[in-house]
Amino acid sequence: MTQEERHEITLVVNGVARQARVPARRLLSDALRHDLGLTGTHVGCEHGVCGCCTVLLDGEPVRSCLTFAVTVDGRELTTVEGLAGPGGMSPVQRAFAECHGLQCGFCTPGFLCTVTAFLRDNPSPTDDDVIEGISGNLCRCTGYQNIVKAVHRAAELMAEESE
Amino acid sequence: MKPPPFTYHAPLDLGSALDALAGAGARGKVLAGGQSLIPLMNMRLASPSHVIDINRVPGLDTIEDERGGVRVGALARHSRVERSGPAPLRRALKLVAHPVIRNRGTVVGSLVHADPAAELPAVLAVLGGSVRLASLGGVRDVAAADFFVGPLESDLRAGELAVSAFFPGLPPRSGFAIHELARRHGDYALAGVCAVVTLGDDGRIAAARAACIGVAATPQLVELEGGTPAELARAVQERTDPEGDIHASAAYRRHLVGVLAERAFTDAAREAAQ
């Protein structure tokens, strides 16, 4: 069998332009983890159900396991590694820690990326908004109650910090 | 859970996309949002030799008013149509998967995927819309009634690209509603009903249409004359013959069709009266 063709791509990940040579079938999740060494993005189901691999593509949360890396050549990505600012963890990350919004942590990178974009678009959500917002992310530890609390707490922290 | 190898095409204009599709023939697949195609490839249920990625083709990311309705382009994502598309689509899209999936998935992609349990084919069917297919040989418009051929099967031929879909607006004194039941929010529905009703001068329902989700191989369209929502719902129930599977028995689905149709006709009539 002939060698599979590889494509030169550039992904701007967390503000840094990174190059990779990948076959067209390389999932974005695998490109981040295996080609770029960013293992913060987790891979659960690989068919779009669990939400663990959610990253931000030009600011919008998407499933990296349902995206080919070649499709997003040249685009900007934010992974869980890019959520913290120079001053430390982001409000969403702090709220998850404070409210015990995680146990094993496997689903957490996907939740953090999803919630970061969700609160940017909806800074003071109702309970129903939160449940709809995180409905595409599965957590097998927490029973979600503390995650919902963490989202509300993150909204509070963001409101306090923007004053 | 990794997709099989394929030759990747990333055309920069529609002509090159159609050339690539023509070259690939039946072994080619179009990639737009990828939220149905990529899971199928990850699970190796689909293994196209050529993937034609249309994400860089300009002019397909459109939601445009056209005489009598709205035309949605092949790269209009669910999330954008949910914000700025016509009302029936906005309401149906809230039932399609989850917000993160809707950020990538496309309306036209859902139509071409032709899942009989999906909402958007039923919306196109109940509104009497059409899909526009382009190939090197020209362009053709296919009515919803002819477009959905079987489960996961549409009238799209090798070498054709679905460039847009046309969703007609509602006639005067008409209303739309969609109701479905899913075990978990965002899942494919066990059954669902999209309804359009038109009121007569006396304020009663003069004409009604329903497209049923998840009860037949394609979105099943039932066209009825007037009646009360309960009478119309019974008529829909009589004309559908759902199958049972591990998720729901045939009898339960049939029961659901009646309940959901009555709710949908009631809500559509209320909207029509406003």
Side-chain angles (χ1 to χ4, degrees), chain A residues 14-112:
Chain A
N14 304 324
V16 180
R18 306 278 307 266
Q19 263 90 34
R21 264 171 70 76
V22 296
R25 62 176 168 146
R26 179 81 88 240
L27 299 172
L28 177 59
S29 46
D30 288 340
L32 290 169
R33 290 176 57 84
H34 303 310
D35 296 296
L36 303 182
L38 293 168
T39 52
T41 299
H42 289 175
V43 173
C45 71
E46 287 194 320
H47 62 289
V49 174
C50 75
C52 291
C53 70
T54 304
V55 299
L56 305 181
L57 169 64
D58 294 333
E60 291 302 321
V62 301
R63 298 278 197 256
S64 60
C65 79
L66 297 189
T67 308
F68 291 126
V70 286
T71 296
V72 295
D73 180 19
R75 309 274 296 270
E76 295 208 7
L77 295 157
T78 305
T79 66
V80 68
E81 289 95 340
L83 294 182
M89 288 200 296
S90 75
V92 176
Q93 289 172 309
R94 274 179 280 138
F96 268 67
E98 201 182 297
C99 299
H100 201 154
L102 62 146
Q103 286 179 31
C104 84
F106 192 85
C107 68
T108 311
F111 269 100
L112 293 174

Side-chain angles (χ1 to χ4, degrees), chain B residues 5 70 151 157 167 171:
Chain B
V70 175
R157 296 175 195 151
F167 291 86

Side-chain angles (χ1 to χ4, degrees), chain B residues 150-168:
Chain B
L152 306 181
E153 194 185 352
S154 76
D155 189 44
L156 187 87
R157 296 175 195 151
E160 282 186 324
L161 171 66
V163 287
S164 65
F166 178 67
F167 291 86

